[in-house]
Amino acid sequence: MLSRQGRPTIPDAAAPDAASAAEHHTFTGNRALQQIEPLLFEIGSTERCGVDLDEPAPFTARLGGLEAAAPVDLPALSEPETMRHFVRLSQKNYGIDTGMFPLGSCTMKHNPRLNERMARLPGFADVHPLQPVATVQGALAVMDQLAHWLLTLTGMPAVALSPKAGAHGELLGLMAIKAAIAARGEGKTRDVVLVPESAHGTNPATAALLGFRVKSVPARADGAVHLDDVAGLLGPDVAAIMLTNPNTCGLFEPQIVEIAAALHAAGGYFYCDGANFNAIVGKVRPGDLGVDAMHINLHKTFSTPHGGGGPGAGPVVLSERLAPFAPVPFVRKGADGQLALVEQAGEGSAAQAFGRLTAFHGQMGMYVRALSFMLSHGGEGLRQASEDAVLNANYVRASLADLLTAPFGDRPCMHEALFDDAWLKDTGVTTLDIAKALIDEGFHPMTVYFPLVVHGAMLIEPTESESKVSLDLFIAAMRDLAMAAKRGDVARFTGAPRHAPLRRLDETRAARQPVLRWTRPLPVA
Ligand SMILES: *Cc1c(COP(=O)(O)O)cnc(C)c1O
């Protein structure tokens, strides 16, 4: 085990983990070729320098006494030390390029390398948001074509491209709804947003952030949102419903059309959380369901990379009623065939735009990758991707059905298979234990404890990327874990993961009290 100073220390024999740690003890703390990586500050030293710099020529300071009085305390490293540090860090990333990543709701699908090649073309990679419009016609054409595909696939009349994530898209959609309601003179009275209990946490958070009051639509035993429950909450105070379809239980909402109609009749708007659009592309057009606004996570449905805080993109398609309130900027084709950017809210076609959501135009690199995915698949290919995603999820569901329990019975699912923890009753093993033991097996765990309406939920989304061979391996690993839990092999689970460099972390404390600043350790007395 390495100390904070990067020097080996003797493991503490009294530590609670000692027995299992000793089993795998190494002098360095490394586990085979998985190496512990200290901070740059712990490797480097301010006392040395990674490069040879000439002494500066004598000069007169002209900073009026504001020059730094003490060294800035940056660690200095040699080139190989620097190289190793960053390469080792990069190897700690488990990603879809490393192995299966069945994280439900997140859609970790393969990002074809063709997308990367397209995004790296200098004309796209080096484009600057402040370039004169005449010099970026190609980039605007990509945005225009991407918009065309999104509108065609959703059957909607307008799209706003700028949001940088699904949650950001939710914000755009609800801001447009707020603006539309204010324009009707109902800004003071329509302030309720209905959100089903199974919704992603970003839905109620978005509504609350904009000052709406959130009312919960109760969960039903069949995992669906029921018209009766929604109708009971409708009134002149309801601004919108935020409904996910297919929902977070992996089911297509059977009454979605009736719910949309009831909402419209009561004067409200239908915001659809479209994060699961990847299950229905080419099969269902959300515009035909009565949707007024829906975000599309390009980083889920159209394969652009995500996770680890990387950029996403969450364009929002809008109905006729909401389109006038879409924010600037947007692309317009002029009479001369040239593409232009409408940049000012309140002018011309942007007369009712609610303003601007982002400084510039959104995630250009993601637009290129998503359009590359669309053009290389074609309409038929996109439909097949959805069909294969659904097929793969059902294959996993059916292959585990005899060992695990599913909250909604044996019904087919859409793109993700949902299990609960009823099958773990009296085993002493929990959903979390299963997830941690999967890490030992070399898999990123599935989504756990979400949706909240299902006890001990395990949400598995294989996506269309996985071959039958890789699905079979995952299924076999899951079956092995399930059988171990059922025969009482609790030891396999407590303390898992055993083969990861770090074991069970205090994730809550890491999130609530993150240590973001390195402080120099006190000199050893
Ligand atoms: C991923 C997801 C979101 C949020 O999207 P981000 O791009 O992560 O902000 C919202 N709702 C559902 C159902 C999701 O799966």
Side-chain angles (χ1 to χ4, degrees), residues 368-387:
V368 176
R369 287 174 177 86
L371 186 61
S372 163
F373 187 77
M374 291 165 170
L375 294 175
S376 56
H377 280 68
E380 287 295 321
L382 291 177
R383 177 187 304 139
Q384 193 191 333
S386 291
E387 288 172 350

Side-chain angles (χ1 to χ4, degrees), residues 73-415:
D73 243 10
L74 290 177
L77 291 88
S78 68
E79 185 171 316
E81 283 174 320
T82 312
M83 201 61 219
R84 283 185 184 156
H85 176 71
F86 287 105
V87 170
R88 284 177 188 164
L89 282 187
S90 74
Q91 288 172 337
K92 297 199 185 310
N93 257 342
Y94 186 93
I96 188 63
D97 295 345
T98 325
M100 190 170 165
F101 206 131
L103 199 59
S105 209
C106 296
T107 314
M108 308 306 288
K109 68 165 77 170
H110 173 61
N111 165 42
R113 288 305 169 266
L114 177 65
N115 300 354
E116 294 302 313
R117 271 187 70 183
M118 296 301 112
R120 280 165 177 68
L121 292 173
F124 295 132
D126 300 339
V127 74
H128 191 282
L130 293 178
Q131 261 174 262
V133 167
T135 67
V136 291
Q137 287 290 306
L140 296 186
V142 164
M143 293 169 71
D144 192 50
Q145 266 202 56
L146 175 70
H148 170 76
W149 275 81
L150 294 174
L151 297 179
T152 306
L153 292 171
T154 56
M156 299 283 283
V159 62
L161 291 178
S162 63
K164 302 193 180 181
H168 205 198
E170 291 172 31
L171 187 68
L172 186 151
L174 258 62
M175 285 173 84
I177 289 172
K178 207 175 168 126
I181 287 172
R184 271 156 51 177
E186 294 183 304
K188 295 253 180 328
T189 50
R190 266 190 202 274
D191 65 343
V192 169
V193 171
L194 306 180
V195 183
E197 280 177 350
S198 60
H200 196 266
T202 50
N203 292 186
T206 300
L209 183 72
L210 289 173
F212 288 111
R213 288 185 294 134
V214 176
K215 279 195 188 162
S216 225
V217 184
R220 288 284 196 107
D222 63 358
V225 174
H226 285 239
L227 174 63
D228 295 348
D229 296 334
V230 175
L233 293 167
L234 288 177
D237 59 344
V238 172
I241 191 169
M242 298 181 86
L243 192 62
T244 309
N245 189 54
N247 67 25
T248 61
C249 300
L251 304 170
F252 194 93
E253 287 291 355
Q255 291 190 303
I256 189 164
V257 171
E258 291 81 359
I259 291 171
L263 204 85
H264 290 154
Y269 293 91
F270 177 11
Y271 186 90
C272 184
D273 180 329
N276 296 332
F277 189 44
N278 61 307
I280 56 173
V281 174
K283 310 290 283 186
V284 179
R285 299 192 313 163
D288 298 336
L289 304 175
V291 167
D292 288 302
M294 180 180 96
H295 72 261
I296 301 162
N297 309 58
L298 297 187
H299 48 287
K300 294 179 179 172
T301 301
F302 299 107
S303 84
T304 70
H306 64 128
V316 177
V317 286
L318 296 162
S319 66
E320 214 67 77
R321 301 198 297 156
L322 287 183
F325 303 96
V328 289
F330 47 83
V331 178
R332 256 291 123 86
K333 194 171 257 158
D336 55 357
Q338 289 281 301
L339 294 166
L341 276 169
V342 179
E343 290 269 17
Q344 293 299 324
E347 281 175 17
S349 56
Q352 286 176 282
F354 72 66
R356 178 180 277 274
L357 195 72
T358 61
F360 295 114
H361 319 302
Q363 306 285 28
M364 191 64 211
M366 297 304 135
Y367 300 161
V368 176
R369 287 174 177 86
L371 186 61
S372 163
F373 187 77
M374 291 165 170
L375 294 175
S376 56
H377 280 68
E380 287 295 321
L382 291 177
R383 177 187 304 139
Q384 193 191 333
S386 291
E387 288 172 350
D388 290 350
V390 172
L391 181 65
N392 281 358
N394 278 288
Y395 182 61
V396 171
R397 185 188 58 75
S399 304
L400 297 174
D402 59 325
L403 285 174
L404 277 57
T405 46
F408 309 118
D410 265 352
R411 267 201 283 167
C413 58
M414 298 296 295
H415 61 303

Side-chain angles (χ1 to χ4, degrees), residues 7-68:
R7 282 182 226 105
T9 54
I10 309 298
D12 178 0
D17 236 10
S20 54
E23 233 175 89
H24 300 284
H25 173 69
T26 59
F27 174 74
T28 53
N30 298 331
R31 287 172 172 247
L33 301 182
Q34 293 188 57
Q35 292 168 318
I36 295 265
E37 191 53 34
L39 301 175
L40 275 177
F41 292 89
E42 293 162 340
I43 309 168
S45 154
T46 49
E47 308 306 315
R48 45 198 175 96
C49 188
V51 287
D52 294 324
L53 296 173
D54 291 336
E55 278 298 314
F59 62 92
T60 321
R62 287 183 295 170
L63 291 171
L66 293 174
E67 53 274 61

Side-chain angles (χ1 to χ4, degrees), residues 403 423-424 427-429 434 437 441 476-493:
L403 285 174
W423 63 283
L424 286 171
T427 58
V429 174
I434 299 284
E441 299 295 335
M478 276 297 290
R479 292 187 67 83
D480 192 60
L481 290 176
M483 288 185 291
K486 286 186 189 218
R487 65 169 182 266
D489 185 2
V490 180
R492 175 154 172 202
F493 296 93

